[in-house]
Amino acid sequence: MLIRAEDSVLVVIDMQERLVPAMQAPARTIKNTAMLCRAASEMQVPVIMTEQYPQGLGKTVPELDIPQATVLGKIHFSCMEDQGFASFFKSLNRKQAVIAGMEAHICVVQTAASMMEAGYEVFVVSDATASRSLQSEAACVARLSAFGAGIVTTEMVIFEWLGKAGTPEFKKMLRLIK
């Protein structure tokens, strides 16, 4: 199945100031997530960013600061277990979740699994997720793939959201990707 802009919500999980430096490949993860956020903004895809215990882990990193994002604090590992997140997510009436975030093997995997249990189509952006170890990242991808989640890359998401070339959005996204 394809990822469609009109059906999607971009969920950015816990990319916070005190958590990012401990991750594998933090620069790659932030760069790709920022690209997803800009593409989502351009194509009217809602963006939800979560912050796990922001008093301890800090705010979302400034590279991901986009005005149209909704930022929600949480304490549950699965975003769907947090009533505020779950209510807001459901209110968007979209059937697809595109997920980027940290830590892949904890909050990303639990959120994605909860969303699939609730009947949503889930796509985890492998080059925009991270954990402290490569083994944890690989375990997240393997487990979610076995559950039926789509394992995708940043460019896959952007080009599926676009759907075709030759549009003003396509031209803007080409500049963003290059």
Side-chain angles (χ1 to χ4, degrees):
M1 80 195 89
L2 291 174
I3 307 166
R4 308 248 184 229
E6 64 273 10
D7 293 330
S8 295
V9 177
L10 176 61
V11 179
V12 178
I13 300 174
D14 305 345
M15 292 198 175
Q16 294 165 256
E17 297 162 327
R18 291 188 195 98
L19 192 57
V20 168
M23 299 298 115
Q24 292 289 322
R28 175 212 72 198
T29 305
I30 296 301
K31 175 184 162 244
N32 289 330
T33 303
M35 198 179 319
L36 285 168
C37 288
R38 287 193 291 277
S41 175
E42 187 64 39
M43 291 181 259
Q44 287 76 50
V45 173
V47 179
I48 305 173
M49 295 187 185
T50 66
E51 294 177 342
Q52 177 77 27
Y53 185 65
Q55 305 90 314
L57 295 175
K59 295 288 185 190
T60 299
V61 293
E63 296 90 333
L64 303 180
D65 186 24
I66 59 169
Q68 56 277 42
T70 299
V71 180
L72 301 171
K74 67 180 184 68
I75 58 169
H76 291 90
F77 299 126
S78 168
C79 295
M80 292 300 281
E81 297 297 319
D82 182 89
Q83 189 57 45
F85 177 93
S87 294
F88 185 75
F89 182 82
K90 290 173 186 172
S91 76
L92 296 171
N93 293 316
R94 305 278 179 121
K95 66 180 184 177
Q96 297 180 330
V98 175
I99 301 176
M102 300 175 178
E103 282 197 69
H105 67 293
I106 302 171
C107 295
V108 171
V109 79
Q110 290 186 38
T111 298
S114 295
M115 288 177 164
M116 286 186 289
E117 287 174 349
Y120 294 99
E121 298 170 11
V122 173
F123 302 88
V124 176
V125 189
S126 61
D127 61 355
T129 60
S131 288
R132 285 169 281 142
S133 76
L134 292 175
Q135 293 90 345
S136 293
E137 286 181 31
C140 168
V141 168
R143 185 172 180 200
L144 290 175
S145 180
F147 285 171
I151 306 301
V152 297
T153 65
T154 298
E155 286 193 21
M156 290 168 74
V157 173
I158 292 170
F159 281 96
E160 288 180 36
W161 278 345
L162 284 168
K164 64 181 177 179
T167 65
E169 293 85 4
F170 175 78
K171 291 174 185 172
K172 287 180 184 178
M173 291 305 105
L174 275 184
R175 286 192 299 266
L176 178 65
I177 291 168
K178 290 182 180 187

